[in-house]
Amino acid sequence: MKMNQFLRLALVTCATTITIGMGLWGQTPTVNASSSSYKTVSTTAIKKTPYHKSSTKGAVYNASHTKKVANLKTYPYTTWYATAKVTLKHGSSKALYYKVKNGSGTVSGIVWHKYLKAGTSPFGLKYAKSAVALDVNTNNNVWTKNANTARPIASLSKLMTLYLVRQKISQGKGTWSSKVTTSNAGLKKLGKSNVFGGFKFNHNSYTVRQLYLAGLIESSNNAAIALGQWVAGGSTPAYNKKFIGMMNNQAKEWGLKHSSFVSASGMEQNSLAPYGYSIGASKNANYVSASDIAQISRHFVVDYNDILTDASVKSMKVDGQTLHNYNNLLPGRKYYQKSLNVDGLKTGYTDPAGYCFVGTGRKSGHDRIITVVLHDENEFTETRSLMNYVYNQNLA
């Protein structure tokens, strides 16, 4: 985690006048170096009481106030639990501090009382730039953060692509066994890329089912593009452009107002250009809001519920190649929590998009929820926190 740096206060030994950083009473007093140390006057135990930061100022210090343990602004949604009142003397002044510890017990120390406010911290996500929690049953967003701001979404784009694959099959225009042409040199080159690859086109055709699994589980970019061309009725870059038009038309049909697609895979135009799949669009990336992604995901889960079976596969082989699912909230993975029953849905990452994740699960006695976090740094921990908050507050 990109959290706190440990900083030491300067201990000045010469008998000159120095300026102390933030004073006991929020001022910047000048004192003599001989009186610059903090002394504990008294410590009184209190009943464990929740507090949270009152502003962006302040810090947690060690018990002797010689070392800064953490800046409060780096813990915007943390509840601190006070167990004692501590009076410190600094020079001729006295001040009240609270002895505190965060809920996980990883950070503890003393905080000046004016920097804390009574009560538990309001819930929020520190890293995600946009986020949504959607109740699938009611189709209501039960928690949001910048929900309608369109952002690059990387491989979350594949949910729209794969939905349109399922739609074509359900309309009787293809089957799982239909053959998809994969002979395009650009797509074969893309599959071998160390950065954008993941499923190699070792043959000139694969079944729809094989490419669907490669696109969903491994997040194969060339598989998504090839499937898009198949949906559009051909196997050349011209059909890729036609398919992207179909993606945008579907978004409009659903009434999505913050969605614009230029890529079937979620790769940016400048990354697709070397493989012959940039469509020359004015926008470099797919821009979709968290709320719109939640709606696309809901349509998928409601219309083709078996996606949850496929999306919960942690790994499998197709054409002798291992498809790895990067969803770390699945059973046996690092961030798994049994009570959340997470069984999907899709990860994504590019430099412009950051880490993106659509999660879904259904806690016993509650509705299924879909969560979306965009441009995150800790997409799984924040998704898990969001899911727990929704269920603990009985929002779904």
Side-chain angles (χ1 to χ4, degrees):
M1 302 288 287
K2 301 175 182 176
M3 288 292 179
N4 308 302
Q5 299 179 6
F6 292 89
L7 306 176
R8 290 195 175 276
L9 297 177
L11 300 178
V12 183
T13 57
C14 58
T16 58
T17 300
I18 64 172
T19 300
I20 303 298
M22 178 59 68
L24 288 173
W25 309 112
Q27 301 175 347
T28 311
T30 300
V31 298
N32 290 329
S34 58
S35 62
S36 63
S37 61
Y38 289 78
K39 294 180 175 61
T40 301
V41 175
S42 64
T43 301
T44 305
I46 61 174
K47 182 181 178 181
K48 186 176 180 180
T49 307
Y51 287 89
H52 60 281
K53 70 178 186 64
S54 59
S55 70
T56 58
K57 297 179 180 179
V60 181
Y61 286 88
N62 65 345
S64 57
H65 207 295
T66 57
K67 181 173 69 175
K68 185 188 293 185
V69 176
N71 289 311
L72 289 177
K73 67 179 181 180
T74 63
Y75 291 83
Y77 305 113
T78 296
T79 298
W80 300 94
Y81 294 93
T83 56
K85 291 181 178 180
V86 181
T87 301
L88 295 183
K89 186 176 182 180
H90 185 76
S92 60
S93 300
K94 292 182 181 180
L96 174 65
Y97 285 71
Y98 286 115
K99 181 180 179 182
V100 300
K101 183 181 293 186
N102 64 354
S104 62
T106 57
V107 182
S108 61
I110 58 172
V111 179
W112 184 44
H113 75 287
K114 290 288 186 179
Y115 289 140
L116 295 174
K117 182 185 296 185
T120 57
S121 172
F123 177 78
L125 299 180
K126 178 180 178 181
Y127 296 106
K129 289 187 177 179
S130 294
V132 159
L134 171 73
D135 184 318
V136 173
N137 184 46
T138 65
N139 198 24
N140 291 325
N141 289 338
V142 295
W143 192 89
T144 64
K145 177 182 179 180
N146 300 323
N148 292 322
T149 302
R151 302 183 186 280
I153 60 167
S155 286
L156 302 192
S157 308
K158 293 183 176 75
L159 291 171
M160 177 64 93
T161 297
L162 297 176
Y163 179 92
L164 292 176
V165 170
R166 298 302 302 273
Q167 185 181 74
K168 180 171 180 172
I169 294 173
S170 68
Q171 292 170 347
K173 299 177 181 179
T175 69
W176 281 131
S177 300
S178 295
K179 292 290 186 178
V180 179
T181 300
T182 55
S183 58
N184 180 276
L187 293 185
K188 286 194 171 186
K189 180 182 176 183
L190 178 58
K192 296 177 182 178
S193 168
N194 291 330
V195 177
F196 301 110
F199 185 74
K200 297 179 176 63
F201 284 175
N202 295 322
H203 310 287
N204 289 331
S205 69
Y206 286 88
T207 67
V208 170
R209 178 65 175 169
Q210 287 175 313
L211 296 184
Y212 175 87
L213 292 171
L216 178 63
I217 298 173
E218 178 65 31
S219 200
S220 167
N221 293 307
N222 53 333
I225 296 170
L227 283 170
Q229 292 178 160
W230 175 77
V231 171
S235 58
T236 65
Y239 287 93
N240 171 62
K241 188 171 184 178
K242 180 180 178 181
F243 175 72
I244 291 166
M246 296 173 69
M247 297 173 78
N248 285 306
N249 287 338
Q250 186 63 67
K252 290 178 182 177
E253 184 179 318
W254 283 335
L256 306 184
K257 298 179 180 179
H258 309 285
S259 298
S260 176
F261 292 96
V262 298
S263 163
S265 64
M267 288 175 61
E268 285 80 24
Q269 295 291 287
N270 59 345
S271 297
L272 286 165
Y275 306 100
Y277 277 91
S278 170
I279 65 170
S282 58
K283 291 184 178 179
N284 189 43
N286 294 336
Y287 277 81
V288 184
S289 69
S291 183
D292 283 3
I293 280 290
Q295 285 299 314
I296 294 169
S297 303
R298 182 179 182 274
H299 279 288
F300 213 144
V301 169
V302 171
D303 294 348
Y304 307 108
N305 187 257
D306 59 359
I307 187 180
L308 299 176
T309 300
D310 292 329
S312 62
V313 173
K314 289 182 283 187
S315 68
M316 67 179 298
K317 286 189 177 293
V318 169
D319 189 34
Q321 303 178 57
T322 299
L323 307 180
H324 179 79
N325 193 329
Y326 296 91
N327 181 352
N328 283 324
L329 286 175
L330 293 175
R333 294 289 175 79
K334 182 177 180 180
Y335 300 101
Y336 170 67
Q337 182 180 325
K338 184 177 180 180
S339 63
L340 295 176
N341 291 318
V342 172
D343 46 15
L345 196 56
K346 191 74 192 70
T347 61
Y349 175 82
T350 63
D351 286 342
Y355 291 100
C356 303
F357 180 57
V358 176
T360 187
R362 183 178 182 182
K363 187 174 184 178
S364 178
H366 295 265
D367 288 345
R368 173 174 290 279
I369 59 173
I370 289 171
T371 58
V372 180
V373 293
L374 300 182
H375 210 292
D376 207 336
E377 293 182 29
N378 294 278
E379 70 273 32
F380 300 116
T381 54
E382 294 212 316
T383 293
R384 189 173 62 183
S385 294
L386 179 54
M387 287 182 168
N388 279 311
Y389 176 77
V390 168
Y391 285 134
N392 291 341
Q393 297 298 315
N394 292 313
L395 300 178

